[in-house]
Amino acid sequence: MLSAVKRYKLLVSSALARCFPRTSAYVQSEDDLILRRWPDAGVKSGGKSGHPGKKVRKAKSAAKPTRRTDAAASTAPKVASKPRTKARKPAGDGIYGPAKLSVNEQQIQAMRLRVGRAVDAGVIRAPSDEQWAMILEESPATRIFAGAGSGKSTTLVLRVVFMLCHLDIPPERLTVISFTNASCAELREQLVRVLGFWNFDFDPARARQCVRTFHSAMAVLAKDLLGKPQWFEQLDEKGASPTELDNPLTASRLRAGQLRLLKEAYQRCYAEDQRFRELVHALLGLAPPPESGTRRAVPRAPLDGCKLAGEFRTAPLFEAFYAQAGFIESIGIRIDQIQLTRLACKEPERNFIEALQLFWRQFQSALEAQGLMTFNGAFQALTQQLNGGGKVSDDALAPFSHLLIDEFQDISPQIVQWLQALHGTLARQGETVSLMAIGDDWQSIYGWRGSSPELFMDFDKYFPAKGGAKQSRTLVLETNYRSIEPVIRDGEAVLAGVAVKQAKASKASRPTQPGDHGVKLITRFDIKTRLPDLIRDIQTQCEHVAGLPNPDRNAVLVLSRRNEPLRAIEAQLDRKLPVKAYTIHRAKGLQAEVAIIVDDCLPSERHPLRSALYAYSGFFRNSYDQAMADENLRLAYVAITRGVSRVFWYTQKAQGATRLLADKGKAR
């Protein structure tokens, strides 16, 4: 027999269903949304879900997410104007600990002694006190805020050495995750060299197993649990390894085989589904298609270009579907489970998602017919399988017991869900797990692909420790060993416009020499008419670096958001000059004595579709548009902090990040 409260709830919900069907659908779907995002939310637990705080080793480094307090803050949008689903914490008693890693004084002294000998032998540089704190940390869940030029790569290598050689963690139970195959190769080389000094058996083959990208680590697990899938992303890629996957953030445009499969799915969906045809014509602004059942044959699907609001280019609809699907899945949403009534957007955006759902069903059938799987699909399948509660072999999960993850600020909700499933499964099976996350929210620049620094800033929400506090250990590497102080301060100046960020400050280790300077802003620069002037300036900087007593190994980096200016510059440069040209995204992690930036870091236009999806996902406190505005300023910070002793920025007009610099009197 129902209680009075339950009867009352039933009466209210029935009335809502009759009078307010959209509201009713929203309420009824709430539990489904929670369970999809946090599979353990339906499991009863005796523990309480506390609100984790932040803990920092030094009191002066206590860093909490802060909003701007300057005058610009009053005009910047802080949250979306429409209601959004609040991100929820996973239920249960946490994942990590409460026991700490077994670190004793004897192990610490042995590590310090061996590091001292390695320094004397010229194998490594002596760690600072803040770097030692990271190397020797005993918490099973640790977050490291590592600023630009803080020496995090070398410190990460020594942390691995400590775990393998002094804590006796088997290498087959430890995985280091880096951002790209290129950065993985550098880490492997360092590990083999340094571990050789410790006389630890760690050859290149073992290093390849230990150091991976997220996608490579996923592929190794998929080989065991998903039946050795073949990847859609590797179609027409000669010599591609099914397990040595690079981060698709660096991928180029779709290849012919991929486009062919997408186009075939699009054509088939158009031919078979009347509703899809109607939506396609509405999205492309075409006359309505003929009704199904008429004698007129169904025409071929239109290949007109479609430009969504907020996107940079026009593309055929099947390409637009694929691009937005990648974003949707990366922010933790299942395309087939999107409830259109929950999307806070207008009809064009809702029509796009409805059409995408129909297309995606056809595309998935095409993939299955050819034995293919997408990277995102594999992450989803693995997460679902791990959360299903079934026993997974120890051999398959063993490499993920101890994880050290670099560039954590560029993690996406989908990766968060996968990591939770991995370590949650291992913890349930009684295995000891640990996670060290290293990153810098100031250098998060891949939000357009679904990543967000908020996930790093809210680390304890997603990766809770066991016990009352449910807190991870938080450390800060605040010394910058790369750039002089004027460069650091100018980089921090552009971050003043970021709405949500971690409060911290970098300390310069390198002294400023005569002739060194921060950003010099050159305005009214048009690359079409003043390219010869820029080429002469680059040559002058090369000559300057050649005369320095101890210059950086890279003389000049030329940076831009876009490839077009870089190609124009490279076409006019003497190839013998020590100059490298990169987009700012590809230059992340690099440095040069002089950085030359050619471009503006302007916010992109508003993207109503992604704003609605951002709110729907429930992971973010920011709106998508505000997140992109912040990201463009962080991109400027990354560009500036590539420079060691000089930075020049050429721009047509001071706007965006360059406006903040111009206000500091940097323009000339």
Side-chain angles (χ1 to χ4, degrees):
M1 186 173 180
L2 291 173
S3 67
V5 172
K6 288 184 178 180
R7 288 199 303 273
Y8 177 74
K9 284 185 175 180
L10 187 61
L11 287 170
V12 171
S13 61
S14 299
L16 283 172
R18 290 192 304 272
C19 303
F20 305 102
R22 275 189 69 181
T23 304
S24 179
Y26 181 93
V27 173
Q28 290 171 357
S29 65
E30 192 69 18
D31 288 343
D32 291 339
L33 188 68
I34 296 170
L35 291 173
R36 284 202 307 274
R37 187 169 301 120
W38 309 119
D40 293 336
V43 179
K44 293 183 179 180
S45 171
K48 296 181 179 180
S49 180
H51 184 77
K54 308 284 189 294
K55 185 176 181 181
V56 183
R57 187 175 292 268
K58 296 181 181 179
K60 67 177 183 179
S61 299
K64 295 183 178 180
T66 58
R67 288 190 176 272
R68 264 183 310 180
T69 56
D70 57 14
S74 61
T75 59
K78 293 182 174 58
V79 295
S81 58
K82 296 183 179 180
R84 61 181 65 246
T85 305
K86 186 178 180 180
R88 290 167 174 80
K89 304 176 188 177
D93 292 325
I95 300 173
Y96 304 96
K100 297 180 179 179
L101 299 178
S102 298
V103 179
N104 59 45
E105 190 62 27
Q106 184 178 0
Q107 294 165 329
I108 292 173
Q109 292 305 317
M111 178 66 178
R112 287 185 177 274
L113 179 63
R114 196 67 179 176
V115 167
R117 291 174 180 170
V119 171
D120 292 341
V123 176
I124 56 173
R125 293 182 178 179
S128 66
D129 289 344
E130 60 189 18
Q131 290 171 336
W132 270 118
M134 171 178 162
I135 295 166
L136 303 175
E137 180 55 50
E138 60 185 4
S139 172
T142 311
R143 177 177 51 165
I144 313 291
F145 283 97
S150 60
K152 66 182 176 68
S153 296
T154 301
T155 311
L156 173 58
V157 167
L158 289 176
R159 172 65 179 180
V160 174
V161 170
F162 183 58
M163 295 179 77
L164 295 179
C165 300
H166 299 277
L167 300 187
D168 295 326
I169 291 174
E172 60 271 15
R173 302 195 73 84
L174 182 147
T175 296
V176 180
I177 294 181
S178 193
F179 199 63
T180 64
N181 278 343
S183 60
C184 284
E186 292 179 6
L187 271 175
R188 290 167 185 154
E189 183 180 345
Q190 291 183 63
L191 273 171
V192 169
R193 179 174 55 84
V194 176
L195 283 168
F197 188 82
W198 263 254
N199 296 317
F200 189 87
D201 183 16
F202 200 81
D203 59 17
R206 176 160 279 186
R208 184 174 292 277
Q209 294 172 350
C210 180
V211 182
R212 296 187 173 277
T213 64
F214 270 119
H215 289 75
S216 175
M218 173 275 291
V220 171
L221 188 60
K223 183 179 178 182
D224 286 330
L225 302 186
L226 300 181
K228 301 181 180 180
Q230 300 298 308
W231 305 111
F232 170 76
E233 288 83 355
Q234 290 185 337
L235 279 179
D236 290 350
E237 184 178 344
K238 295 181 180 179
S241 167
T243 55
E244 298 301 319
L245 307 183
D246 205 350
N247 193 321
L249 292 178
T250 62
S252 57
R253 290 192 176 184
L254 293 166
R255 292 182 293 275
Q258 298 167 308
L259 289 170
R260 183 171 58 252
L261 196 150
L262 287 165
K263 185 176 179 181
E264 289 173 356
Y266 173 66
Q267 295 280 12
R268 189 176 299 111
C269 194
Y270 185 86
E272 297 176 359
D273 194 309
Q274 172 69 20
R275 177 57 180 164
F276 184 73
R277 292 196 292 273
E278 294 170 354
L279 291 167
V280 165
H281 282 241
L283 290 169
L284 296 177
L286 303 175
E291 294 287 339
S292 58
T294 62
R295 293 183 178 181
R296 182 179 175 183
V298 176
R300 299 281 293 173
L303 300 178
D304 305 51
C306 172
K307 184 181 181 302
L308 292 174
E311 291 293 317
F312 290 116
R313 68 185 186 94
T314 299
L317 262 179
F318 56 87
E319 286 191 55
F321 287 147
Y322 181 74
Q324 300 308 317
F327 175 81
I328 291 168
E329 291 181 327
S330 71
I331 62 173
I333 300 174
R334 288 284 300 268
I335 293 172
D336 60 331
Q337 295 178 356
I338 295 176
Q339 299 173 32
L340 296 175
T341 56
R342 292 179 58 88
L343 285 175
C345 59
K346 295 182 179 179
E347 185 179 12
E349 287 73 39
R350 191 172 288 108
N351 285 344
F352 184 92
I353 294 299
E354 184 181 353
L356 170 59
Q357 288 182 310
L358 297 173
F359 166 80
W360 206 244
R361 190 183 309 148
Q362 192 71 247
F363 177 58
Q364 293 301 313
S365 297
L367 290 176
E368 292 174 13
Q370 298 193 27
L372 295 170
M373 182 175 282
T374 64
F375 294 163
N376 284 343
F379 274 116
Q380 287 180 353
L382 288 170
T383 300
Q384 185 174 357
Q385 186 168 337
L386 291 168
N387 285 332
K391 178 70 175 178
V392 181
S393 71
D394 291 339
D395 290 342
L397 294 183
F400 304 99
S401 301
H402 300 279
L403 288 173
L404 297 98
I405 301 175
D406 197 10
E407 304 289 2
F408 202 89
Q409 76 279 351
D410 289 318
I411 203 170
S412 69
Q414 182 181 63
I415 301 295
V416 165
Q417 293 169 330
W418 181 65
L419 291 174
Q420 289 173 330
L422 276 175
H423 273 186
T425 301
L426 282 164
R428 287 193 299 271
Q429 294 180 0
E431 299 292 338
T432 299
V433 293
S434 72
L435 172 62
M436 178 171 279
I438 306 135
D440 180 13
D441 63 293
W442 291 4
Q443 298 184 75
S444 179
I445 56 175
Y446 289 99
W448 49 280
R449 295 295 297 268
S451 67
S452 171
E454 292 185 31
L455 304 173
F456 184 45
M457 296 164 68
D458 297 334
F459 181 82
D460 291 337
K461 179 191 297 183
Y462 303 110
F463 303 99
K466 294 179 181 178
K470 296 185 180 296
Q471 289 181 324
S472 63
R473 180 68 162 166
T474 300
L475 304 174
V476 180
L477 302 183
E478 57 187 7
T479 303
N480 185 313
Y481 298 96
R482 175 190 299 153
S483 304
I484 59 170
E485 184 161 348
V487 171
I488 295 172
R489 299 300 163 238
D490 285 344
E492 292 175 350
V494 301
L495 295 174
V498 174
V500 177
K501 61 180 178 290
Q502 197 79 7
K504 54 185 182 292
S506 296
K507 299 186 299 185
S509 173
R510 185 185 294 265
T512 303
Q513 303 295 338
D516 292 352
H517 58 74
V519 178
K520 286 190 176 180
L521 189 61
I522 300 92
T523 57
R524 295 186 295 278
F525 175 78
D526 183 351
I527 194 168
K528 294 180 180 178
T529 60
R530 295 185 58 188
L531 180 57
D533 296 338
L534 176 60
I535 298 298
R536 284 193 294 272
D537 289 348
I538 293 174
Q539 292 171 337
T540 299
Q541 294 310 311
C542 289
E543 294 168 1
H544 161 72
V545 175
L548 295 177
N550 295 299
D552 190 83
R553 61 182 179 179
N554 294 320
V556 176
L557 272 180
V558 180
L559 306 170
S560 174
R561 287 186 69 183
R562 300 172 294 118
N563 283 306
E564 290 81 2
L566 298 177
R567 284 194 286 265
I569 293 167
E570 287 180 308
Q572 300 297 321
L573 270 179
D574 184 346
R575 294 188 178 183
K576 295 180 181 179
L577 289 174
V579 179
K580 295 182 178 180
Y582 292 99
T583 62
I584 301 173
H585 285 92
R586 286 191 174 272
K588 190 175 179 182
L590 301 178
Q591 64 184 57
E593 194 68 42
V594 179
I596 294 177
I597 309 166
V598 183
D599 218 340
D600 296 314
C601 286
L602 286 175
S604 55
E605 61 180 278
R606 292 187 178 276
H607 203 307
L609 175 64
R610 291 193 171 186
S611 293
L613 292 165
Y614 231 55
Y616 180 89
S617 77
F619 275 98
F620 311 105
R621 74 188 80 166
N622 251 352
S623 69
Y624 179 77
D625 292 327
Q626 182 60 52
M628 289 300 97
D630 286 356
E631 181 160 307
N632 279 279
L633 296 177
R634 292 195 298 267
L635 194 65
Y637 172 79
V638 168
I640 291 169
T641 54
R642 298 313 93 194
V644 172
S645 61
R646 289 183 173 187
V647 179
F648 298 87
W649 196 324
Y650 294 78
T651 183
Q652 174 69 40
K653 179 182 179 182
Q655 49 191 345
T658 51
R659 165 54 60 190
L660 295 172
L661 293 170
D663 291 344
K664 287 190 62 180
K666 294 291 180 178
R668 65 177 175 86

